[in-house]
Amino acid sequence: MRWLRLSCSGALLTLTWLGCSSAAEQSGNDGTTGSAGGSAATTGDSGSGVGGSGGSSAAPSTGGLPNTGGGPSTGGGPSTGGAPSTGGAPAAGGAGGSAGSTGGATGTGGGVTDAGSNFPDVTFSYEASTPEQDACANVTVEAELTPLDIYVMMDISGSMTQLTMGGTSKWDEMRAAFAAFVNDPASAGISVGIQYFPLVAAGVPASCSNQAQCGANGPCLLSVCSNNINFACINNGQCFGGTCVPAGVCSNNPGSICIPVGSAACGPGVTCDARTSSFCVNQESCAAADYSTPAVTIAPLPGNATALVNSINAQSPFAATPTAAALSGAVNQARSFASANPTHNVVVLFATDGLPTRCTPSTIPQISNIAAMGFSGSPSIQTFVLGIFAPAEAATAQANLDSIASAGGTNSAFIVDTSGNVTASLLQALDTIRGSSLSCDFPMPTTDAGIIDPDEVGVVFTDGGTSTTLVRVDDATGCSAGDWFYDNNTNPNRISLCPTTCTTVQASPTGRVDIELGCLGS
């Protein structure tokens, strides 16, 4: 007979084909003892009793040693011993016939034989992806970075026309930095989409030359108060002690407002020209749905770079800053895209140069709550905040925008002041945001070797030879008490590090994050 042996050690599965030869013995678990042989033959009769069959077991066994037949009976033939046991360690074959009074030949035992055949032993070894469930070993994989998608919400309010210390507008600097970022080889593979704020509300004309054209979205900004040029007016009664005067525009900055017309209020060599057309003051859309529709859809770089650059070059800053509607729309679009791409890390990049001046809610705590709901929701959406401000505004802006960034799971805002190399500083901030997003979010590993139990998964951070098992929390809101969380606790697609843990990981140039899958089910 021939036997097949299977054994498993670690991740190596070994199958052994055991050949046989007469009188060969194979080892295994114990067999059961065969039943007794026939009764003794009488004098002169042949010993005709047959030995009982050997016992069987599930695993291969050493066949029983040959049974000794009954003692010789007169003229008697040999009694047959027990048949070989199947599997297991040596099993005793059935006893032969009882001794007769005189000689028959010795009975034949239950050894494992394959009469007339000789088969070689052949071993086949296969590398298995995991051990069998009964001998499970913990499976660990090195974490891989999740594909990164960025939805940019870019401020194009009128204040972006303000000049930097270098003589260029904040908008020109932002536009140049963004173009460099999307064309940077280091951005290849990242997906980026964009929308701008403000957008013009439905039904509002792109420009106006009289008050009637604006209707409920007026007034048309043709006049401003002499004591506050940021306040549009129609008559003196709206200026609270000031005078309603014609609004001008600086000859070198079409988005500016100046008074009095014809003066040098715009600086040496620059005139304050009369406006012949303007815009409706309340033209901005306050509908989040408008901002959740991208001007350029999220798609991979470098393929999407040209469309993005062409889009941003086509914009001209205008109007006020509807922060709440813009941020709500951005979070909604990012969440929708993340739901359609569950293995991706989708984030919002909110780039602005001012605080809310249009639409409600309009306070910083209320705006921060929008970011917080994005971060704590499912899928979790982080909000990165990038601001560009004059030096005198930077400190106040930092505190306010930090509140939004922190609520959005990114600790603090990136603030660039207009006194230095603005384009270089903006690009550096964009590069840092790119690196921060890439380092702290990992796809849930998959395997065809078994079922992963999310509750058995562990995350380990190794730095300088020291390994630390990170603590899991239910979601982003629990990060004060732990280190990482799933995007979905029941059917996770992504593992995200909490902000503080993320900062620790990013600070280690040689650190490694491993994901322990535990024992796999079937």
Side-chain angles (χ1 to χ4, degrees):
M1 297 185 65
R2 296 172 294 277
W3 301 90
L4 184 65
R5 175 185 298 155
L6 286 81
S7 62
C8 181
S9 175
L12 181 66
L13 177 65
T14 302
L15 293 84
T16 303
W17 179 262
L18 301 178
C20 305
S21 59
S22 59
E25 293 181 359
Q26 310 298 339
S27 62
N29 295 326
D30 291 344
T32 57
T33 302
S35 60
S39 61
T42 60
T43 304
D45 295 332
S46 60
S48 59
V50 179
S53 298
S56 62
S57 66
S61 67
T62 300
L65 294 176
N67 298 316
T68 302
S73 61
T74 304
S79 62
T80 304
S85 61
T86 303
S98 301
S101 57
T102 51
T106 301
T108 303
V112 180
T113 64
D114 198 335
S117 300
N118 240 336
F119 294 89
D121 293 352
V122 182
T123 297
F124 304 89
S125 295
Y126 300 88
E127 287 293 341
S129 55
T130 59
E132 294 180 6
Q133 189 172 1
D134 290 343
C136 177
N138 193 47
V139 179
T140 300
V141 296
E142 186 169 357
E144 298 178 358
L145 294 177
T146 298
L148 173 62
D149 306 321
I150 304 175
Y151 187 51
V152 180
M153 186 56 63
M154 183 78 72
D155 189 343
I156 54 170
S157 62
S159 56
M160 289 292 282
T161 62
Q162 294 172 357
L163 301 181
T164 68
M165 297 293 286
T168 56
S169 70
K170 291 191 283 187
W171 177 242
D172 289 336
E173 300 284 358
M174 181 67 79
R175 183 171 56 183
F178 185 75
F181 174 75
V182 298
N183 284 296
D184 186 348
S187 295
I190 294 174
S191 293
V192 178
I194 197 169
Q195 185 52 281
Y196 309 93
F197 70 106
L199 297 175
V200 176
V204 177
S207 63
C208 57
S209 56
N210 61 68
Q211 299 299 334
Q213 291 172 329
C214 292
N217 299 99
C220 179
L221 200 157
L222 296 171
S223 302
V224 295
C225 293
S226 60
N227 56 349
N228 185 353
I229 64 172
N230 292 314
F231 197 92
C233 58
I234 299 175
N235 55 61
N236 292 338
Q238 297 172 325
C239 292
F240 305 100
T243 303
C244 187
V245 298
V249 56
C250 296
S251 58
N252 66 340
N253 187 348
S256 63
I257 300 173
C258 58
I259 56 172
V261 172
S263 72
C266 298
V270 182
T271 58
C272 179
D273 300 332
R275 285 178 177 267
T276 56
S277 67
S278 189
F279 57 87
C280 300
V281 170
N282 293 304
Q283 64 183 313
E284 302 87 358
S285 170
C286 291
D290 290 345
Y291 300 95
S292 66
T293 302
V296 178
T297 57
I298 301 171
L301 299 174
N304 209 30
T306 299
L308 291 165
V309 172
N310 289 344
S311 175
I312 197 171
N313 285 340
Q315 308 304 314
S316 295
F318 73 105
T321 310
T323 304
L327 182 56
S328 293
V331 169
N332 292 342
Q333 166 61 17
R335 177 163 290 149
S336 175
F337 196 84
S339 296
N341 299 273
T343 61
H344 291 209
N345 178 29
V346 187
V347 303
V348 168
L349 170 56
F350 195 81
T352 186
D353 80 322
L355 303 178
T357 58
R358 189 74 72 220
C359 305
T360 56
S362 58
T363 68
I364 292 301
Q366 290 170 322
I367 303 298
S368 298
N369 189 53
I370 296 171
M373 289 189 295
F375 185 50
S376 63
S378 181
S380 177
I381 302 298
Q382 289 180 299
T383 297
F384 290 89
V385 182
L386 174 61
I388 177 171
F389 293 90
E393 304 169 317
T396 300
Q398 184 79 64
N400 287 320
L401 297 187
D402 277 354
S403 176
I404 300 172
S406 179
T410 58
N411 291 329
S412 59
F414 297 84
I415 302 297
V416 173
D417 75 53
T418 58
S419 63
N421 187 332
V422 179
T423 297
S425 297
L426 287 170
L427 184 57
Q428 182 179 15
L430 290 169
D431 289 345
T432 301
I433 291 170
R434 176 181 59 205
S436 298
S437 300
L438 284 172
S439 301
C440 295
D441 210 80
F442 311 102
M444 183 71 176
T446 59
T447 176
D448 58 3
I451 299 173
I452 299 173
D453 181 352
D455 291 331
E456 295 294 325
V457 171
V459 178
V460 178
F461 173 55
T462 302
D463 183 22
T466 300
S467 295
T468 303
T469 298
L470 304 182
V471 177
R472 176 188 162 193
V473 293
D474 284 340
D475 52 43
T477 60
C479 279
S480 60
D483 303 296
W484 66 276
F485 57 93
Y486 288 127
D487 62 328
N488 183 305
N489 286 325
T490 304
N491 186 27
N493 291 294
R494 201 169 71 244
I495 291 172
S496 299
L497 300 185
C498 292
T500 301
T501 306
C502 178
T503 300
T504 301
V505 170
Q506 291 168 350
S508 172
T510 60
R512 188 182 77 245
V513 175
D514 291 316
I515 301 173
E516 295 181 342
L517 304 184
C519 290
L520 304 179
S522 59

